[in-house]
Amino acid sequence: MKNMQKKNKSLAKKKYSLLWKILLCILIVALVVLAVGYMVIHSYLSKIDYQNDNMIGDNLVTETEEELWEEEEETGEDSPEDEIAALEEHLREQISSEDEALYDKDVLNILLIGCDSRTKNGRGRSDSMILVSINQNTKEIYMTSIMRDSYVSIPGHQDNRINAAYAFGGASLLMDTIEANFKIKVDKYAAVDFYSFVDIVDSMGGIDLEVSDAEVKVMNKYIRQLNRLNGRDEESYVLEKGGSYHLNGTQTLAYSRVRYVGNADFERTQRQRTVLTKVFEKAQNMNLMEMNDLLNALLPEIKTNMSEGEVFSLLLKAPSYLKYDLLQQRIPADGTYSSMRIRGMAVLGIDLEKNRKLLEETIYKK
């Protein structure tokens, strides 16, 4: 009897020993997988250009670039003094209000900044500003274009077009300007320049777009300019006429910059949102190899104030975000602005209160 008990105990010990060995092996394999996964993910995330407020505070356009890309000389008389005075008084009243910036822990606002630098890693203004708002409650992503000619109050500077904020103080000042004027919390930003935009679209294999004859005429001007800057034959990628096209990065950038066709900058911001929608839709159907190519092209081109951990968290949630409804709008909305001229500049005199209400109703659903 005792021998049988000893035998049973011995067998039990061997079983426990074997179980612990199996569990240890599983744990080791899991740790190895996690370590390899971390190294792979870190290899991606380390490509990003992580910034702080002091690193991009002097993004100014050089005179040569300004002359090369200026689309129209600004002419005409300023608006009546009483209209200008009324607008600036409105700005002062709204800025000085004690209303806190809208915030919701389930809403992430990321400001996408398109810089108009024409040299690789060069400097530029914020030619394109799109606030991407991810609402985890409503399962919606709102793309809000902020018109670059919106006349706003810039902290520490004279009232000016909103795109001047980036030139004066980089992304940090631009975010502060948006928060001060529209009373909306801007959590993070991601900035790319023109060259980066071209690389990203090319890495996706291009996108399909319908373009008009008038758009093609202006696009070809930009395409030729980009070709000269890149040392290519000037006629590379030019289009013959309007129609349905599969556009490469250079052509897509040219389309995104078309301004004086249709309703000026209002239609240009619509084109930019159309391009982002196409990119979003294409990313939804990418396989692992295609997504790898996209990340390798995209991540090194991004300048952001997000930490590596924050970017990692965003990437983990990306598969679910790709299933969200993608909506779009622009600021200022129709009926909330007037076209004016101040200090020789063509600007949009906007009703801040009405546009704040729009953001509250769409982004936050309040």
Side-chain angles (χ1 to χ4, degrees):
M1 188 72 174
K2 289 183 179 180
N3 289 336
M4 183 64 69
Q5 289 177 343
K6 288 182 179 180
K7 188 175 180 180
N8 288 338
K9 287 182 179 180
S10 178
L11 288 172
K13 286 182 179 179
K14 287 181 180 180
K15 287 180 180 179
Y16 283 126
S17 177
L18 179 60
L19 179 61
W20 279 111
K21 287 179 180 179
I22 292 172
L23 290 175
L24 182 60
C25 288
I26 293 173
L27 178 60
I28 291 173
V29 170
L31 289 174
V32 169
V33 170
L34 287 173
V36 172
Y38 170 78
M39 287 188 288
V40 171
I41 294 171
H42 178 69
S43 70
Y44 282 119
L45 300 185
S46 62
K47 300 174 187 290
I48 297 174
D49 186 356
Y50 298 100
Q51 301 274 298
N52 59 50
D53 291 345
N54 296 323
M55 294 173 68
I56 59 169
D58 59 348
N59 297 279
L60 301 174
V61 182
T62 67
E63 185 178 357
T64 302
E65 291 170 347
E66 184 72 36
E67 291 175 348
L68 177 61
W69 286 84
E70 190 60 47
E71 300 171 47
E72 175 185 74
E73 288 187 13
E74 298 195 45
T75 58
E77 295 183 1
D78 279 3
S79 298
E81 291 185 7
D82 60 334
E83 293 183 11
I84 296 175
L87 173 61
E88 295 190 329
E89 177 62 25
H90 170 71
L91 291 179
R92 283 191 293 272
E93 289 177 354
Q94 294 297 314
I95 292 297
S96 61
S97 72
E98 297 181 356
D99 296 338
E100 294 185 0
L102 290 172
Y103 171 78
D104 188 316
K105 62 180 179 60
D106 293 318
V107 177
L108 176 64
N109 288 322
I110 302 175
L111 181 64
L112 300 185
I113 305 170
C115 317
D116 68 351
S117 172
R118 279 55 168 200
T119 57
K120 194 71 172 177
N121 298 318
R123 298 173 178 177
R125 299 165 303 183
S126 54
D127 192 66
S128 174
M129 293 158 283
I130 298 178
L131 186 67
V132 176
S133 304
I134 305 171
N135 191 321
Q136 297 182 76
N137 283 329
T138 63
K139 309 300 184 196
E140 293 176 340
I141 298 177
Y142 253 100
M143 295 188 299
T144 304
S145 294
I146 302 174
M147 302 290 289
R148 68 176 193 173
D149 291 340
S150 299
Y151 193 72
V152 296
S153 176
I154 300 177
H157 297 269
Q158 187 177 16
D159 295 347
N160 208 319
R161 290 167 169 163
I162 194 167
N163 73 330
Y166 192 76
F168 294 155
S172 177
L173 182 58
L174 178 56
M175 293 168 69
D176 289 344
T177 299
I178 293 171
E179 289 190 10
N181 287 269
F182 298 105
K183 301 298 184 182
I184 182 171
K185 178 66 176 176
V186 182
D187 301 292
K188 300 295 176 180
Y189 76 86
V192 295
D193 60 25
F194 283 173
Y195 281 86
S196 304
F197 183 89
V198 171
D199 292 342
I200 291 165
V201 174
D202 282 339
S203 73
M204 302 187 76
I207 59 175
D208 297 320
L209 283 172
E210 181 85 22
V211 295
S212 67
D213 289 333
E215 288 170 331
V216 165
K217 184 177 180 180
V218 180
M219 285 172 63
N220 285 339
K221 181 182 101 170
Y222 292 134
I223 290 170
R224 291 186 178 99
Q225 290 175 333
L226 281 166
N227 286 337
R228 288 198 298 271
L229 288 170
N230 285 284
R232 287 192 298 261
D233 183 283
E234 193 170 290
E235 298 303 306
S236 297
Y237 310 142
V238 297
L239 306 175
E240 292 185 7
K241 59 181 181 179
S244 297
Y245 287 96
H246 186 74
L247 303 180
N248 63 20
T250 297
Q251 294 164 331
T252 303
L253 172 61
Y255 172 81
S256 300
R257 284 195 54 78
V258 172
R259 186 180 188 190
Y260 296 109
V261 172
N263 192 13
D265 207 37
F266 291 93
E267 284 195 25
R268 181 170 75 154
T269 59
Q270 176 61 63
R271 293 184 187 96
Q272 293 167 352
R273 294 194 301 274
T274 296
V275 168
L276 280 183
T277 300
K278 292 285 186 180
V279 169
F280 183 85
E281 291 172 350
K282 195 160 187 179
Q284 288 177 312
N285 300 309
M286 282 186 164
N287 59 39
L288 287 176
M289 290 295 294
E290 292 170 332
M291 187 60 70
N292 174 69
D293 292 340
L294 174 60
L295 291 175
N296 283 324
L298 171 64
L299 297 180
E301 308 288 1
I302 294 176
K303 292 181 174 63
T304 182
N305 64 340
M306 286 185 278
S307 67
E308 185 171 319
E310 289 170 330
V311 176
F312 176 60
S313 176
L314 196 60
L315 288 177
L316 285 179
K317 296 175 182 177
S320 62
Y321 290 161
L322 289 173
K323 298 176 184 177
Y324 283 16
D325 292 331
L326 189 62
L327 306 169
Q328 55 179 281
Q329 62 186 354
R330 62 166 164 78
I331 295 295
D334 289 341
T336 67
Y337 70 92
S338 59
S339 297
M340 301 177 65
R341 189 169 293 277
I342 300 176
R343 302 196 304 277
M345 300 182 296
V347 303
L348 299 175
I350 67 178
D351 186 320
L352 289 178
E353 190 173 8
K354 289 182 178 179
N355 284 285
R356 287 174 184 170
K357 187 64 177 176
L358 174 65
L359 293 173
E360 184 177 1
E361 293 173 349
T362 55
I363 295 175
Y364 294 94
K365 299 298 182 182
K366 294 183 179 180

